């Protein structure tokens, strides 16, 4: 079977939709009130050096994904143990995003439908596209991103008459501690979650493509998130915004141009579904790819169905209610995700740079990892 390759343009589309993902409707940490958009700017600035570290790993290990890097640098035993952690993280993250959609359906859209039904539908769709291959996901993401950008732009323009600019005042009124807390929350969710994309680095074509994909995807997605945050803030105000589970849906539902343009929140919900579809699909692909690398399977496709159904089942019982979901997303997740997003990748990068300089070339694979 030939190696799957996704061009840089499609990779950027995946990265943008992955980062925006659940944050389009769930929002990001907003303890700082009308300064939350400033916290997101700081989070983007923090994320950019991390993206450069991820891109450097692709230069040091061209054609290899995160699991190959871990096994090559840390050896067969420790490398596979760390790989198992990332298999869990990708699987868990996909389940969290599915549950976000399930709670949205139960609370807003399909209130009389059991939550497992819409999550299973999205899960089966993700199983199908991952089994078809990462190239299919890349082509789908490129089209879905274009569609999403058009819808977001139209909604932004229609929202302008509802803006109340006094909600931005007084500027920088929030205590620095709350702004820094929001910065940390926005850094881990959603920007640094792109660490999952390292599990698909083997599909990137050239050495320089990773930097373009990660930095470009972060800047585009960050701009979208800031625009949506400002829209919600200007339409709802910081007090109302902090008490909503799905602020974007409520904000868009207030758009009313005469008696002609009304009830367009359904269009915004479609954008949310397309973004989470790409995010869950990438998480599923990375977890299946890790299973294939750790257990030396012939193809990741052999475990796609099983891992996908496990992800759906995990999403069903991972929380008791929507309040637990919000508490985990805004308070616990920033601590839980930090080792996966920063600690292990930075340690991997430092170790790889040391080995590269000591040997005068990139680290050589252990004997059992050499291609036949």
């Amino acid at each position: 079977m030939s190696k799957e390759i996704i061009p840089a343009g499609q990779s950027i589309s995946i990265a943008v939709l992955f980062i925006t993902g659940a944050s389009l409707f769930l929002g990001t940490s907003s303890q700082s009130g009308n300064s939350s958009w400033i916290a997101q700017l700081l989070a983007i600035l923090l994320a950019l050096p991390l993206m450069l570290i991820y891109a450097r790993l692709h230069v040091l290990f061209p054609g290899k994904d995160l699991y190959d890097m871990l096994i090559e640098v840390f050896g067969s035993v420790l490398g596979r143990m760390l790989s198992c952690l990332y298999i869990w993280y990708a699987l868990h993250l996909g389940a969290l995003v599915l549950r976000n959609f399930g709670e949205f359906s139960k609370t807003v859209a399909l209130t009389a439908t059991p939550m497992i039904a819409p999550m299973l539908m999205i899960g089966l769709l993700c199983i199908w596209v991952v089994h078809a291959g990462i190239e299919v996901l890349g082509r789908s993401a490129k089209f879905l991103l274009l569609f999403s950008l058009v819808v977001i732009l139209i909604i932004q323009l229609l929202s302008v008459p509802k803006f109340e600019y006094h909600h931005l005042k007084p500027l920088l009124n929030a205590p620095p501690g709350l702004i820094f807390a929001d910065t940390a929350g926005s850094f881990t969710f959603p920007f640094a979650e792109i660490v999952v994309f390292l599990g698909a680095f083997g599909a990137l074509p050239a050495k320089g493509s990773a930097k373009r994909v990660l930095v470009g995807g972060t800047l585009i997605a960050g701009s979208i998130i800031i625009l949506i945050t400002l829209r919600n803030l200007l339409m709802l105000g910081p007090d109302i915004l902090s008490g909503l589970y799905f602020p974007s849906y409520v904000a868009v539902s207030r758009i009313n141009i005469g008696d002609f343009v009304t009830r367009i929140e359904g269009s915004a919900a479609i954008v949310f579904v397309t973004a989470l579809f790409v995010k869950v699909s990438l998480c599923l692909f990375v977890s299946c790819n890790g299973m294939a690398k750790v257990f030396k399977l012939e193809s990741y496709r052999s475990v796609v169905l099983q891992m996908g159904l496990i992800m759906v089942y995990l999403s069903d019982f991972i929380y008791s209610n929507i309040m637990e979901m919000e508490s985990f997303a805004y308070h616990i997740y920033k601590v839980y995700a930090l080792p996966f997003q920063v600690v292990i990748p930075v340690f991997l990068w430092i170790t790889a740079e040391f080995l590269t300089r000591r040997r005068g070339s990139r680290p050589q694979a252990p004997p059992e990892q050499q291609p036949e």
Side-chain angles (χ1 to χ4, degrees), residues 27-86:
T28 56
S29 183
S30 57
Q31 301 177 56
S32 55
N34 61 358
S35 299
S36 58
W37 63 277
I38 298 175
Q40 290 171 7
L41 279 174
L42 296 175
I44 294 173
L45 294 177
L46 281 178
L48 288 177
L50 189 64
M51 300 303 115
L52 295 177
I53 291 175
Y54 294 164
R56 176 61 180 168
L57 288 173
H58 186 248
V59 174
L60 293 172
F61 303 93
K64 296 183 180 295
D65 56 40
L66 176 63
Y67 306 108
D68 296 322
M69 300 174 194
L70 291 171
I71 294 172
E72 186 169 325
V73 171
F74 298 116
S76 180
V77 177
L78 180 58
R80 280 181 166 81
M81 291 174 62
L82 293 173
S83 296
C84 287
L85 292 178
Y86 277 98

Side-chain angles (χ1 to χ4, degrees), residues 35 53 71 98 143 156 167 176 215-216 245 271 300 329 338 340 353:
S35 299
I53 291 175
I71 294 172
L98 272 179
F143 167 76
Q156 290 291 113
H167 289 316
V215 174
Y245 292 121
V271 175
Y300 69 87
L338 205 60
F340 299 102
E353 291 283 7

Side-chain angles (χ1 to χ4, degrees), residues 101-343:
F101 175 66
E103 292 290 355
F104 171 76
S105 300
K106 181 181 177 181
T107 307
V108 176
L110 305 170
T111 55
T113 304
M115 192 184 345
I116 187 65
M119 292 193 302
L120 181 60
M121 293 299 102
I122 293 293
L124 291 175
L125 184 61
C126 295
I127 289 171
W128 173 78
V129 76
V130 171
H131 192 272
I134 189 69
E135 292 176 329
V136 176
L137 179 61
R139 291 192 293 269
S140 302
K142 192 171 184 178
F143 167 76
L144 293 174
L145 177 61
L146 179 61
F147 168 77
S148 300
L149 290 176
V150 171
V151 174
I152 290 172
L153 178 61
I154 293 174
I155 292 176
Q156 290 291 113
L157 294 176
L158 293 176
S159 303
V160 173
K162 297 290 183 179
F163 285 176
E164 299 181 24
Y165 297 96
H166 67 272
H167 289 316
L168 291 176
K169 300 176 181 178
L171 190 64
L172 292 175
N173 185 49
L178 293 181
I179 295 178
F180 293 145
D182 277 357
T183 300
S186 298
F187 172 77
T188 55
F189 168 69
F191 296 109
E193 288 179 342
I194 198 64
V195 68
V196 172
F197 197 71
L198 271 67
F201 263 17
L204 292 182
K207 289 185 177 181
S209 62
K211 181 179 179 180
R212 176 186 170 192
V213 168
L214 295 175
V215 174
T218 299
L219 292 176
I220 296 172
S223 301
I224 293 172
I225 292 172
I226 289 175
L227 284 175
I228 292 175
T229 300
L230 283 171
R231 181 199 67 199
N232 296 343
L233 179 63
L234 290 171
M235 293 182 71
L236 301 174
D239 296 331
I240 296 177
L241 194 63
S242 61
L244 296 174
Y245 292 121
F246 304 104
S248 292
Y249 187 86
V250 176
V252 174
S253 67
R254 294 192 175 187
I255 296 176
N256 186 1
I257 308 299
D259 293 324
F260 179 68
V261 181
T262 60
R263 305 293 297 173
I264 66 170
E265 59 269 22
S267 301
I270 293 174
V271 175
F272 170 52
V273 173
T274 58
L276 75 89
F277 159 70
V278 172
K279 188 165 188 173
V280 174
S281 297
L282 184 61
C283 289
L284 179 58
F285 170 81
V286 170
S287 62
C288 294
N289 188 38
M291 292 290 288
K293 293 294 175 65
V294 170
F295 297 102
K296 299 182 180 180
L297 305 177
E298 290 185 4
S299 173
Y300 69 87
R301 289 180 171 88
S302 60
V303 293
V304 170
L305 178 61
Q306 297 90 327
M307 295 294 286
L309 293 178
I310 290 173
M311 183 181 290
V312 174
Y313 180 66
L314 179 62
S315 67
D316 188 45
F317 72 84
I318 198 168
Y319 303 123
S320 299
N321 50 55
I322 193 172
M323 291 178 287
E324 283 189 10
M325 182 187 78
E326 185 182 44
S327 176
F328 181 84
Y330 293 143
H331 303 292
I332 302 174
Y333 183 77
K334 68 180 72 174
V335 179
Y336 160 76
L338 205 60
F340 299 102
Q341 298 172 349
V342 178
V343 178

